[in-house]
Structures are given as C-alpha cells and as structure tokens.
Amino acid sequence: MSTPTGSAWVDGSGSRLTKFNFIRRVNWGRLSVVSVPTLWLAIFFFIPFLVVFKISLSESAIAVPPYTSLLEWDLEESYLNLKLNLGNYLYLFEDTFYIDAYLSSIKIAGISTVFTLLIAFPIAYMIARSKPSARGLLLALVILPFWTSFLLRVYAWMGFLKKNGLINEFLLGAGIIDQPLIMLQTDFAVYIGIVYTYLPFMVLPLYSALEKMDMTLLEAAEDLGSRPATSFFLITVPMAMPGIIAGCMLVFIPAVGEFVIPSLLGGSDTLMIGRVLWDEFFLNRDWPMASAVAIVMLIVLVLPIMLIRNSQGKEEAI
Amino acid sequence: MKRRSIFLTTSATLGFIFLYAPMIALVVYSFNKSKLVTVWGGWSLKWYGELFRNEQIIDAALLSFKIAFISASVAVILGTMAGFVLSRFGRFRGKMVLSGWISAPLVMPEVITGLSLLLLFVAMEGMFGWPSGRGTGTIIIAHVTFCMAYVAVIVQSRLSQLDETLEEAAMDLGAKPSSLFFLITMPLIMPAIISGWLLSFTLSLDDLVIASFVSGPGNSTLPMVIFSKVRLGVSPEVNALATLMIAVVAIGVIGAMYQMRRQSKLLATEE
C-alpha cells in the first residue's frame, strides 16, 4: 500500500516534468508510445459506442446479424437511402417497464451505496487509527476477498440466504423464529450482495482520506468543549469527504448496471436495467432494442457521473 | 473517548465477520459428505474428486487461465505505456482524450462494454471479414481493453509518487529515452507493473458478463460454466472449486506480504 508521503499537495500529474519534453526530438518514439494505447482504445472502446448508437437506430430483423442496415443504395434510382428508426427510443419511453427498470436500478444502487458507506466507515476509521504496523495486515484483510472470484462471492450468499440456508438454520435452532425467512430472491438479498461485493471499493478511498487526517484537530475540538458526536460531524466527516465521494462513485456506478447480483440473488420481480439489457439481448435477441437501452443508460446514468467526477478534480481512488 | 472506541471496534469487527463468514461457510461446506448442501454429513474430500473428474469445468478452467495469461500480459504493456505517457509526457495533443478513455472503462457497466464490443466485432466481420467468428481471440481483446485501464491507473499513481531525480540524473548523463525507461523507470515501477498484471489476471479470470457477450459457441470460460451451474442452485462441486481459489489467493497474498515485509526490514537495516 502507499506509504505516507509528505507530498500530498504536489500535483503528481507531471506538471514539473515538462523537462521531459526533450523527448520531442525523437518524435517517432514518442508518437508511437502515445498512439498505440490511444488507437487501441479508439478502436475497442470509443468506436463501439458509435456502433451501438447506429444499431439502436435500426430495426430488429430476422437475419444475420439480426438488424436492418441504415444506409441503402437504391440501384435503380441511384440514390442513397438513409433510414433512421427512432421507434426503439419511443418505445423505451412509452413502455413504463423500461422507465421502472431505470428508476429501480437507481433506487437499489443508491440504497446499497448508503449501507456500504455505513459499514465501511467504521472499518476504514479503525484501520486509519490503528498502529501503523497493524494497518498493512488489516488492509490486506479487507482486500483479500476482492482477489477471489466475484461470482463465487455472490454465490456464497446463496448458500447463506436460502430457505434452508445457514442463517435460517441458525435462527430456527436458536428459537428466534419458527418459520424460515424468505431472504433469497428478494431485493434484500440484492442489497446484501452489492454491499458485500463492493465493500473494499468503499473502504480503500475512505481509508486514504482518513489516514491523512490530523488527529490534533479532534483533540483541539475536545479541549474547546465539543462533544464527540459534534466533532465527528463537523470535523471527521468533512475531512473524509473526498474519500466518501470517491467511494460512493466506485460503488454506485457499477451497481446501477449490475447483472450478476440481481440474477443470482434477486427475485424475478427485481428489476434492474443491466438485467433488462441482458434479457433483451440474449432472450429476445432484439439487438437494436438492447442498444437503445444501453445508449439511454449511458446518457442518463454514466455521463453525468463522469462529468461530475471530472469537474471535482481527479481524485485518485485506487 | 473510551466508549466510542469500543463502539468502533465492535462495528469494525462485525464488518470483518460480514466479509469473511460467507467464505468460511463455503470452505467448510466444500468438505461436506452429503449431497444436500445444508445437511452436514461428515468430512469428506468427495467433491474435490468430482471436481477433477468434471471435464467441462477442467476445460473451461484451462481456457480461462490461457485467456487471463495472454490478456494480462498484453494489458500490462498497453497500460504501462498509457500510464507512462499520462504522467511523464507533460502536455501533448490528445492527452485529454487518452486520459478520458483510459479511465472510462473503470466506471462503465459491464453489460454496456460487452454489448458494444460484440456489436463492433459483428460490424467489423461484416466489413473486413475479421474477426471471423467469435471465441478466444475476441474475449482476449475485450479483456485487454478493460484491464489496461486498471494497469494504467496503478502505473500512473506509482509514477506520481516516484522521485524524479533518478530519471533526471540519467538524462543529464545522456541516457537515451528508451534506455532511460528500460534501465531506470521500469525497474522503479516494477511493483506497480506486477500488481497490475496480477489484478488484470484475476479480473480476466473472473469476468462473466463481457465474456458472455463476446464469446462464441464452444468457448465457455470458467465463470460462464459456474454461472450456468449456480443459476440452478447451490452445487457442492462449485464449493470445492471456490475453496481451491480462495486457498490460492490467500497463499499468494500472504506470500506477497511476507516478501514485502522482509524487503522493508532489509531496507531498514541497510539504513
């Protein structure tokens, strides 16, 4: 993990390194080092979105590939025929199913993010306040599950939450309940799955914000008669704010598009947009509709968050 | 003060229990003799035997390891280039574009990445005849694309913490840019490169959604096989598989920590 450095205020993005501009002389080497990753991302990251946008404007067809093409050469009349089909988008807004799915994804991801924050904060705070020698071990304990399979971690909860699973067996055995609780295939299970799998993403940025905090501030507040709760909300929380924002972004954004967790832990009525897109593509084989769902998801959910993130300065979260 | 720290320790401990209890249960139940996953039938290694006799799982695991190895290796090269460019080249044309594109895969929902890459491959096949069909190659391309973003972030943050005086000294002494990188910078950022490779390897090994979109028939990776088994309910063979994976990861992480601790002790005695 990162060692505490005194240069937290130095912008590391290379402002001092313009000296390296001597590389300008060897233009070819420089150019190729810049262009290889840029080209790769252009072809395999950026252009695909244009393709998705194009296909979202076509119509579903029984063909290979299963959509109509936008441009058609009419050979007899020799003109180019451009067919744009906005039907997919209109349908998205007409059928409340899709709007419900978007809203429900935001709701589920939002609630899960709040719970992740509530659970991650004490862990991060405790690690940041523990002896420096113990911090490495405690951080490793938080990160360790992250290195094991995400799918298997979600799967582990299936065994825990199902009707004759461990939690029910335990509660029944202890006499706390006399009917097994239905937990698997509910929204509750989805919340647990998201909180569980994304916890490290929240703990790490919180920790790096809390670790930098000056403890003497709290002592000063105490000396001046502030109660612990007041100090917490007036000093600790504002100081941890960059970590809180970074952590919430890292949990909320992927959670909105989550597919594995709702399909393994959620019920058939757990509506999430990632799952709708998957079904539209794999079950209905309606590629244009799936593309329209993806484009709206991108515009409504992902773009605003990325813009906010950029305007707030580049908080390095990982 | 005292009371708050008790509250803190309790809630943090509960947090750790929350993190580890499901995994411990998974490990314990992988040694369960009974077919019924919740009924304890005594200790047994039966499911490990079943696991190694299951050709579908073994084949998928081998394919996944191959894909993860190649993807991680390519992603490390491209990601290191991107991270180096962004932190050491000052301002250049296209910097905003590259830094935007490199961080975007980190926040992109997997279903969108998977769908967009699949549609790209289909469109490219229609136009250029490449890639003909989908399979291992297209999965590797997809994995390289999102793994290089992680590598770039790790390399970039390591470079920004790095003391530049060594690189400046080498430049003053007349090192060529290429030897400057390979002899000075690369050894200094080696820990970041190695952790980037390991992270890419695990991310690739773990990916279900993107691989499901871009793979072709007959190219099922391990997560795809696990998902299709698990969808129908809890399976004891998957418990055994999960235990093996947890064991490998735990050994790896403990080994890495031990190594790091020894190195820092060595450094301390040298000083």
Side-chain angles (χ1 to χ4, degrees), chain A residues 187-222:
Chain A
D187 286 3
F188 171 72
V190 177
Y191 297 142
I192 288 200
I194 294 176
V195 172
Y196 183 70
T197 46
Y198 289 102
L199 195 61
F201 291 104
M202 187 68 93
V203 173
L204 292 183
L206 281 179
Y207 166 77
S208 64
L210 288 169
E211 186 218 43
K212 286 184 208 135
M213 198 178 112
D214 190 351
M215 281 305 280
T216 51
L217 289 174
L218 289 181
E219 284 166 25
E222 205 185 346

mmCIF file of all heavy atoms in Angstrom, chain A residues 187-222:
data_model
loop_
_atom_site.group_PDB
_atom_site.id
_atom_site.type_symbol
_atom_site.label_atom_id
_atom_site.label_comp_id
_atom_site.label_asym_id
_atom_site.label_seq_id
_atom_site.Cartn_x
_atom_site.Cartn_y
_atom_site.Cartn_z
ATOM 1 N N ASP A 187 -35.326 -8.283 -2.945
ATOM 2 C CA ASP A 187 -34.463 -7.102 -3.069
ATOM 3 C C ASP A 187 -33.453 -7.045 -1.931
ATOM 4 O O ASP A 187 -32.325 -6.597 -2.104
ATOM 5 C CB ASP A 187 -35.310 -5.822 -3.074
ATOM 6 C CG ASP A 187 -36.031 -5.642 -4.393
ATOM 7 O OD1 ASP A 187 -35.899 -6.539 -5.256
ATOM 8 O OD2 ASP A 187 -36.720 -4.618 -4.565
ATOM 9 N N PHE A 188 -33.881 -7.531 -0.770
ATOM 10 C CA PHE A 188 -32.984 -7.550 0.391
ATOM 11 C C PHE A 188 -31.685 -8.286 0.075
ATOM 12 O O PHE A 188 -30.586 -7.819 0.373
ATOM 13 C CB PHE A 188 -33.721 -8.215 1.572
ATOM 14 C CG PHE A 188 -32.862 -8.487 2.768
ATOM 15 C CD1 PHE A 188 -32.426 -7.445 3.572
ATOM 16 C CD2 PHE A 188 -32.483 -9.792 3.080
ATOM 17 C CE1 PHE A 188 -31.625 -7.693 4.674
ATOM 18 C CE2 PHE A 188 -31.685 -10.047 4.191
ATOM 19 C CZ PHE A 188 -31.263 -8.992 4.980
ATOM 20 N N ALA A 189 -31.815 -9.436 -0.564
ATOM 21 C CA ALA A 189 -30.633 -10.219 -0.924
ATOM 22 C C ALA A 189 -29.754 -9.443 -1.906
ATOM 23 O O ALA A 189 -28.523 -9.521 -1.853
ATOM 24 C CB ALA A 189 -31.048 -11.561 -1.527
ATOM 25 N N VAL A 190 -30.390 -8.677 -2.800
ATOM 26 C CA VAL A 190 -29.613 -7.884 -3.750
ATOM 27 C C VAL A 190 -28.817 -6.807 -3.015
ATOM 28 O O VAL A 190 -27.628 -6.600 -3.304
ATOM 29 C CB VAL A 190 -30.533 -7.256 -4.815
ATOM 30 C CG1 VAL A 190 -29.745 -6.362 -5.763
ATOM 31 C CG2 VAL A 190 -31.233 -8.342 -5.607
ATOM 32 N N TYR A 191 -29.461 -6.135 -2.031
ATOM 33 C CA TYR A 191 -28.721 -5.141 -1.246
ATOM 34 C C TYR A 191 -27.506 -5.777 -0.592
ATOM 35 O O TYR A 191 -26.400 -5.251 -0.642
ATOM 36 C CB TYR A 191 -29.597 -4.525 -0.131
ATOM 37 C CG TYR A 191 -30.793 -3.744 -0.629
ATOM 38 C CD1 TYR A 191 -32.007 -3.795 0.037
ATOM 39 C CD2 TYR A 191 -30.690 -2.939 -1.750
ATOM 40 C CE1 TYR A 191 -33.099 -3.073 -0.403
ATOM 41 C CE2 TYR A 191 -31.778 -2.219 -2.202
ATOM 42 C CZ TYR A 191 -32.986 -2.297 -1.536
ATOM 43 O OH TYR A 191 -34.052 -1.590 -1.978
ATOM 44 N N ILE A 192 -27.722 -6.920 0.049
ATOM 45 C CA ILE A 192 -26.617 -7.591 0.738
ATOM 46 C C ILE A 192 -25.513 -7.925 -0.259
ATOM 47 O O ILE A 192 -24.331 -7.684 -0.004
ATOM 48 C CB ILE A 192 -27.117 -8.869 1.443
ATOM 49 C CG1 ILE A 192 -27.944 -8.471 2.656
ATOM 50 C CG2 ILE A 192 -25.938 -9.734 1.863
ATOM 51 C CD1 ILE A 192 -28.088 -9.560 3.660
ATOM 52 N N GLY A 193 -25.891 -8.453 -1.396
ATOM 53 C CA GLY A 193 -24.889 -8.835 -2.402
ATOM 54 C C GLY A 193 -24.066 -7.642 -2.845
ATOM 55 O O GLY A 193 -22.834 -7.733 -2.950
ATOM 56 N N ILE A 194 -24.720 -6.508 -3.099
ATOM 57 C CA ILE A 194 -23.979 -5.328 -3.562
ATOM 58 C C ILE A 194 -23.071 -4.806 -2.454
ATOM 59 O O ILE A 194 -21.884 -4.553 -2.669
ATOM 60 C CB ILE A 194 -24.952 -4.225 -4.041
ATOM 61 C CG1 ILE A 194 -25.711 -4.708 -5.290
ATOM 62 C CG2 ILE A 194 -24.195 -2.952 -4.369
ATOM 63 C CD1 ILE A 194 -26.761 -3.750 -5.785
ATOM 64 N N VAL A 195 -23.623 -4.676 -1.238
ATOM 65 C CA VAL A 195 -22.808 -4.174 -0.130
ATOM 66 C C VAL A 195 -21.588 -5.065 0.056
ATOM 67 O O VAL A 195 -20.459 -4.601 0.178
ATOM 68 C CB VAL A 195 -23.633 -4.123 1.176
ATOM 69 C CG1 VAL A 195 -22.740 -3.793 2.356
ATOM 70 C CG2 VAL A 195 -24.751 -3.107 1.069
ATOM 71 N N TYR A 196 -21.826 -6.363 0.023
ATOM 72 C CA TYR A 196 -20.753 -7.312 0.276
ATOM 73 C C TYR A 196 -19.654 -7.238 -0.781
ATOM 74 O O TYR A 196 -18.480 -7.144 -0.468
ATOM 75 C CB TYR A 196 -21.335 -8.724 0.313
ATOM 76 C CG TYR A 196 -20.323 -9.785 0.641
ATOM 77 C CD1 TYR A 196 -19.785 -9.866 1.911
ATOM 78 C CD2 TYR A 196 -19.905 -10.697 -0.322
ATOM 79 C CE1 TYR A 196 -18.858 -10.824 2.219
ATOM 80 C CE2 TYR A 196 -18.979 -11.666 -0.015
ATOM 81 C CZ TYR A 196 -18.461 -11.728 1.259
ATOM 82 O OH TYR A 196 -17.535 -12.671 1.559
ATOM 83 N N THR A 197 -20.051 -7.261 -2.052
ATOM 84 C CA THR A 197 -19.023 -7.343 -3.089
ATOM 85 C C THR A 197 -18.317 -6.004 -3.310
ATOM 86 O O THR A 197 -17.183 -5.993 -3.755
ATOM 87 C CB THR A 197 -19.613 -7.824 -4.416
ATOM 88 O OG1 THR A 197 -20.806 -7.116 -4.658
ATOM 89 C CG2 THR A 197 -19.895 -9.298 -4.391
ATOM 90 N N TYR A 198 -18.981 -4.886 -3.000
ATOM 91 C CA TYR A 198 -18.335 -3.607 -3.280
ATOM 92 C C TYR A 198 -17.702 -2.961 -2.047
ATOM 93 O O TYR A 198 -17.176 -1.861 -2.139
ATOM 94 C CB TYR A 198 -19.330 -2.637 -3.932
ATOM 95 C CG TYR A 198 -19.676 -3.035 -5.346
ATOM 96 C CD1 TYR A 198 -20.869 -3.667 -5.647
ATOM 97 C CD2 TYR A 198 -18.788 -2.795 -6.379
ATOM 98 C CE1 TYR A 198 -21.184 -4.040 -6.939
ATOM 99 C CE2 TYR A 198 -19.081 -3.164 -7.673
ATOM 100 C CZ TYR A 198 -20.280 -3.786 -7.951
ATOM 101 O OH TYR A 198 -20.575 -4.157 -9.220
ATOM 102 N N LEU A 199 -17.768 -3.639 -0.890
ATOM 103 C CA LEU A 199 -17.237 -3.044 0.340
ATOM 104 C C LEU A 199 -15.778 -2.566 0.214
ATOM 105 O O LEU A 199 -15.474 -1.448 0.616
ATOM 106 C CB LEU A 199 -17.408 -4.030 1.500
ATOM 107 C CG LEU A 199 -17.237 -3.465 2.900
ATOM 108 C CD1 LEU A 199 -18.262 -2.386 3.167
ATOM 109 C CD2 LEU A 199 -17.390 -4.564 3.946
ATOM 110 N N PRO A 200 -14.864 -3.378 -0.345
ATOM 111 C CA PRO A 200 -13.477 -2.902 -0.437
ATOM 112 C C PRO A 200 -13.343 -1.600 -1.220
ATOM 113 O O PRO A 200 -12.514 -0.760 -0.888
ATOM 114 C CB PRO A 200 -12.752 -4.038 -1.167
ATOM 115 C CG PRO A 200 -13.586 -5.230 -0.962
ATOM 116 C CD PRO A 200 -14.993 -4.741 -0.858
ATOM 117 N N PHE A 201 -14.187 -1.390 -2.248
ATOM 118 C CA PHE A 201 -14.111 -0.164 -3.044
ATOM 119 C C PHE A 201 -14.458 1.062 -2.211
ATOM 120 O O PHE A 201 -14.091 2.178 -2.551
ATOM 121 C CB PHE A 201 -15.068 -0.227 -4.231
ATOM 122 C CG PHE A 201 -14.664 -1.215 -5.273
ATOM 123 C CD1 PHE A 201 -15.312 -2.421 -5.378
ATOM 124 C CD2 PHE A 201 -13.639 -0.928 -6.149
ATOM 125 C CE1 PHE A 201 -14.939 -3.344 -6.335
ATOM 126 C CE2 PHE A 201 -13.262 -1.837 -7.109
ATOM 127 C CZ PHE A 201 -13.907 -3.049 -7.204
ATOM 128 N N MET A 202 -15.242 0.868 -1.158
ATOM 129 C CA MET A 202 -15.591 1.981 -0.290
ATOM 130 C C MET A 202 -14.533 2.162 0.793
ATOM 131 O O MET A 202 -14.157 3.278 1.124
ATOM 132 C CB MET A 202 -16.966 1.717 0.344
ATOM 133 C CG MET A 202 -17.529 2.848 1.127
ATOM 134 S SD MET A 202 -17.972 4.238 0.088
ATOM 135 C CE MET A 202 -19.699 3.881 -0.225
ATOM 136 N N VAL A 203 -14.036 1.037 1.345
ATOM 137 C CA VAL A 203 -13.099 1.138 2.463
ATOM 138 C C VAL A 203 -11.803 1.822 2.019
ATOM 139 O O VAL A 203 -11.286 2.696 2.718
ATOM 140 C CB VAL A 203 -12.799 -0.258 3.055
ATOM 141 C CG1 VAL A 203 -11.694 -0.176 4.088
ATOM 142 C CG2 VAL A 203 -14.043 -0.849 3.676
ATOM 143 N N LEU A 204 -11.278 1.455 0.848
ATOM 144 C CA LEU A 204 -9.960 1.964 0.459
ATOM 145 C C LEU A 204 -9.922 3.483 0.300
ATOM 146 O O LEU A 204 -9.060 4.118 0.900
ATOM 147 C CB LEU A 204 -9.463 1.255 -0.808
ATOM 148 C CG LEU A 204 -9.142 -0.229 -0.610
ATOM 149 C CD1 LEU A 204 -8.590 -0.827 -1.882
ATOM 150 C CD2 LEU A 204 -8.161 -0.421 0.525
ATOM 151 N N PRO A 205 -10.812 4.108 -0.485
ATOM 152 C CA PRO A 205 -10.744 5.577 -0.558
ATOM 153 C C PRO A 205 -11.032 6.259 0.778
ATOM 154 O O PRO A 205 -10.422 7.272 1.084
ATOM 155 C CB PRO A 205 -11.801 5.947 -1.600
ATOM 156 C CG PRO A 205 -12.524 4.726 -1.938
ATOM 157 C CD PRO A 205 -11.789 3.557 -1.418
ATOM 158 N N LEU A 206 -11.948 5.684 1.586
ATOM 159 C CA LEU A 206 -12.216 6.259 2.909
ATOM 160 C C LEU A 206 -10.950 6.214 3.758
ATOM 161 O O LEU A 206 -10.587 7.183 4.413
ATOM 162 C CB LEU A 206 -13.322 5.475 3.627
ATOM 163 C CG LEU A 206 -14.752 5.751 3.219
ATOM 164 C CD1 LEU A 206 -15.683 4.866 4.020
ATOM 165 C CD2 LEU A 206 -15.079 7.207 3.469
ATOM 166 N N TYR A 207 -10.285 5.066 3.700
ATOM 167 C CA TYR A 207 -9.068 4.916 4.492
ATOM 168 C C TYR A 207 -8.028 5.947 4.077
ATOM 169 O O TYR A 207 -7.409 6.594 4.910
ATOM 170 C CB TYR A 207 -8.510 3.493 4.331
ATOM 171 C CG TYR A 207 -7.091 3.358 4.827
ATOM 172 C CD1 TYR A 207 -6.827 3.277 6.190
ATOM 173 C CD2 TYR A 207 -6.013 3.332 3.954
ATOM 174 C CE1 TYR A 207 -5.541 3.180 6.660
ATOM 175 C CE2 TYR A 207 -4.726 3.238 4.406
ATOM 176 C CZ TYR A 207 -4.483 3.159 5.756
ATOM 177 O OH TYR A 207 -3.209 3.070 6.216
ATOM 178 N N SER A 208 -7.846 6.111 2.754
ATOM 179 C CA SER A 208 -6.764 7.011 2.359
ATOM 180 C C SER A 208 -7.116 8.454 2.707
ATOM 181 O O SER A 208 -6.217 9.260 2.953
ATOM 182 C CB SER A 208 -6.404 6.846 0.883
ATOM 183 O OG SER A 208 -7.480 7.219 0.090
ATOM 184 N N ALA A 209 -8.406 8.795 2.790
ATOM 185 C CA ALA A 209 -8.757 10.142 3.233
ATOM 186 C C ALA A 209 -8.576 10.282 4.746
ATOM 187 O O ALA A 209 -8.043 11.277 5.228
ATOM 188 C CB ALA A 209 -10.204 10.458 2.852
ATOM 189 N N LEU A 210 -9.007 9.260 5.493
ATOM 190 C CA LEU A 210 -8.946 9.347 6.960
ATOM 191 C C LEU A 210 -7.512 9.272 7.474
ATOM 192 O O LEU A 210 -7.181 9.842 8.505
ATOM 193 C CB LEU A 210 -9.774 8.219 7.591
ATOM 194 C CG LEU A 210 -11.281 8.382 7.472
ATOM 195 C CD1 LEU A 210 -11.990 7.108 7.885
ATOM 196 C CD2 LEU A 210 -11.736 9.542 8.344
ATOM 197 N N GLU A 211 -6.667 8.557 6.725
ATOM 198 C CA GLU A 211 -5.295 8.384 7.161
ATOM 199 C C GLU A 211 -4.548 9.713 7.169
ATOM 200 O O GLU A 211 -3.671 9.943 8.000
ATOM 201 C CB GLU A 211 -4.616 7.372 6.231
ATOM 202 C CG GLU A 211 -3.239 6.977 6.638
ATOM 203 C CD GLU A 211 -2.354 6.810 5.443
ATOM 204 O OE1 GLU A 211 -2.408 7.661 4.521
ATOM 205 O OE2 GLU A 211 -1.608 5.838 5.407
ATOM 206 N N LYS A 212 -4.940 10.583 6.224
ATOM 207 C CA LYS A 212 -4.255 11.884 6.129
ATOM 208 C C LYS A 212 -4.736 12.865 7.199
ATOM 209 O O LYS A 212 -4.128 13.891 7.410
ATOM 210 C CB LYS A 212 -4.534 12.496 4.743
ATOM 211 C CG LYS A 212 -3.784 11.822 3.621
ATOM 212 C CD LYS A 212 -4.050 12.557 2.321
ATOM 213 C CE LYS A 212 -3.938 11.638 1.135
ATOM 214 N NZ LYS A 212 -5.029 11.815 0.191
ATOM 215 N N MET A 213 -5.860 12.519 7.856
ATOM 216 C CA MET A 213 -6.459 13.482 8.781
ATOM 217 C C MET A 213 -5.572 13.719 9.993
ATOM 218 O O MET A 213 -4.971 12.799 10.530
ATOM 219 C CB MET A 213 -7.817 12.951 9.227
ATOM 220 C CG MET A 213 -8.698 13.992 9.818
ATOM 221 S SD MET A 213 -10.268 13.234 10.226
ATOM 222 C CE MET A 213 -10.181 13.317 11.983
ATOM 223 N N ASP A 214 -5.528 14.963 10.419
ATOM 224 C CA ASP A 214 -4.704 15.335 11.560
ATOM 225 C C ASP A 214 -5.514 15.137 12.843
ATOM 226 O O ASP A 214 -6.516 15.802 13.070
ATOM 227 C CB ASP A 214 -4.287 16.803 11.400
ATOM 228 C CG ASP A 214 -3.239 17.186 12.422
ATOM 229 O OD1 ASP A 214 -2.990 16.379 13.333
ATOM 230 O OD2 ASP A 214 -2.683 18.290 12.292
ATOM 231 N N MET A 215 -5.072 14.200 13.700
ATOM 232 C CA MET A 215 -5.835 13.885 14.906
ATOM 233 C C MET A 215 -5.878 15.048 15.889
ATOM 234 O O MET A 215 -6.780 15.136 16.716
ATOM 235 C CB MET A 215 -5.233 12.664 15.602
ATOM 236 C CG MET A 215 -5.610 11.352 14.983
ATOM 237 S SD MET A 215 -7.390 11.165 14.868
ATOM 238 C CE MET A 215 -7.778 10.672 16.548
ATOM 239 N N THR A 216 -4.886 15.939 15.802
ATOM 240 C CA THR A 216 -4.857 17.045 16.772
ATOM 241 C C THR A 216 -6.087 17.938 16.618
ATOM 242 O O THR A 216 -6.483 18.607 17.563
ATOM 243 C CB THR A 216 -3.591 17.891 16.603
ATOM 244 O OG1 THR A 216 -3.477 18.259 15.225
ATOM 245 C CG2 THR A 216 -2.356 17.115 17.013
ATOM 246 N N LEU A 217 -6.689 17.921 15.413
ATOM 247 C CA LEU A 217 -7.912 18.698 15.214
ATOM 248 C C LEU A 217 -8.998 18.245 16.180
ATOM 249 O O LEU A 217 -9.702 19.052 16.777
ATOM 250 C CB LEU A 217 -8.415 18.540 13.775
ATOM 251 C CG LEU A 217 -7.598 19.224 12.692
ATOM 252 C CD1 LEU A 217 -8.141 18.839 11.331
ATOM 253 C CD2 LEU A 217 -7.654 20.728 12.881
ATOM 254 N N LEU A 218 -9.136 16.911 16.313
ATOM 255 C CA LEU A 218 -10.160 16.376 17.211
ATOM 256 C C LEU A 218 -9.840 16.723 18.651
ATOM 257 O O LEU A 218 -10.733 17.049 19.432
ATOM 258 C CB LEU A 218 -10.272 14.857 17.035
ATOM 259 C CG LEU A 218 -10.887 14.358 15.744
ATOM 260 C CD1 LEU A 218 -10.950 12.842 15.741
ATOM 261 C CD2 LEU A 218 -12.275 14.937 15.549
ATOM 262 N N GLU A 219 -8.555 16.637 18.998
ATOM 263 C CA GLU A 219 -8.161 16.986 20.368
ATOM 264 C C GLU A 219 -8.462 18.447 20.658
ATOM 265 O O GLU A 219 -8.969 18.792 21.725
ATOM 266 C CB GLU A 219 -6.664 16.715 20.566
ATOM 267 C CG GLU A 219 -6.359 15.240 20.729
ATOM 268 C CD GLU A 219 -4.877 14.942 20.587
ATOM 269 O OE1 GLU A 219 -4.060 15.857 20.827
ATOM 270 O OE2 GLU A 219 -4.541 13.808 20.212
ATOM 271 N N ALA A 220 -8.151 19.297 19.686
ATOM 272 C CA ALA A 220 -8.422 20.723 19.859
ATOM 273 C C ALA A 220 -9.906 20.949 20.078
ATOM 274 O O ALA A 220 -10.310 21.703 20.980
ATOM 275 C CB ALA A 220 -7.939 21.498 18.638
ATOM 276 N N ALA A 221 -10.721 20.256 19.284
ATOM 277 C CA ALA A 221 -12.171 20.412 19.409
ATOM 278 C C ALA A 221 -12.634 19.955 20.784
ATOM 279 O O ALA A 221 -13.479 20.596 21.424
ATOM 280 C CB ALA A 221 -12.871 19.617 18.323
ATOM 281 N N GLU A 222 -12.037 18.844 21.257
ATOM 282 C CA GLU A 222 -12.428 18.330 22.560
ATOM 283 C C GLU A 222 -12.048 19.318 23.665
ATOM 284 O O GLU A 222 -12.821 19.571 24.579
ATOM 285 C CB GLU A 222 -11.749 16.981 22.795
ATOM 286 C CG GLU A 222 -12.490 16.108 23.775
ATOM 287 C CD GLU A 222 -11.725 14.837 24.082
ATOM 288 O OE1 GLU A 222 -10.767 14.514 23.354
ATOM 289 O OE2 GLU A 222 -12.079 14.178 25.068
#
